[in-house]
Amino acid sequence: MSTRTQWWCAAEGRTSAFVLALTAGLLVLTGLVLDGGLALAAKVRATGQAESAARAGAQAIDLAGYRTDGALRLLPAQAVADAQAHLAAQGATGTATATEKVVTVTVTASRSTQLLWLVGITSLPVQSRASAGPTTG
């Protein structure tokens, strides 16, 4: 064999810059896949928490007003309190706002990274918002 075809067989103990760059690139790509998947799962969880808290708040119906004129309205202060209580029961952090028609809940969370910390990204913020209103049926 000529030296031209044996360059890849040499056992001189050197690591080429290409192999180092390729390894670093694969590690970052693996980190993006792993931590991106974990962040997506955290986003799905935050969405579920926001939706369920909004539904809990949407149950604060003004029954006296409904019985009087048949209009379906929320008690905004009670709706916010119910949504916040639901978030606290789930261990979630977020805010709730309400009008007479709709409750809106925003859940915020932060997901620690598993591999991206190697490139300086230690956490990924996650935020999700959901709204719910009273309905008849």
Side-chain angles (χ1 to χ4, degrees), residues 43-132:
K43 173 81 172 177
V44 169
R45 178 180 173 153
T47 299
Q49 291 170 333
E51 288 173 349
S52 63
R55 285 191 301 268
Q59 294 177 16
I61 296 171
D62 179 7
L63 291 177
Y66 182 67
R67 290 180 182 134
T68 302
D69 59 13
L72 199 54
R73 292 183 294 266
L74 292 173
L75 298 170
Q78 184 63 44
V80 168
D82 290 349
Q84 289 286 2
H86 192 79
L87 285 176
Q90 291 181 347
T93 304
T95 60
T97 58
T99 64
E100 289 186 347
K101 298 286 181 193
V102 68
V103 180
T104 302
V105 177
T106 303
V107 173
T108 55
S110 179
R111 174 73 183 151
S112 297
T113 59
Q114 302 294 312
L115 288 177
L116 288 180
W117 65 269
L118 294 170
V119 293
I121 301 172
T122 57
S123 66
L124 297 171
V126 176
Q127 183 177 20
S128 188
R129 178 174 299 172
S131 298

Side-chain angles (χ1 to χ4, degrees), residues 14-22:
R14 288 189 252 161
T15 303
S16 70
F18 174 74
V19 172
L20 288 175
L22 184 63

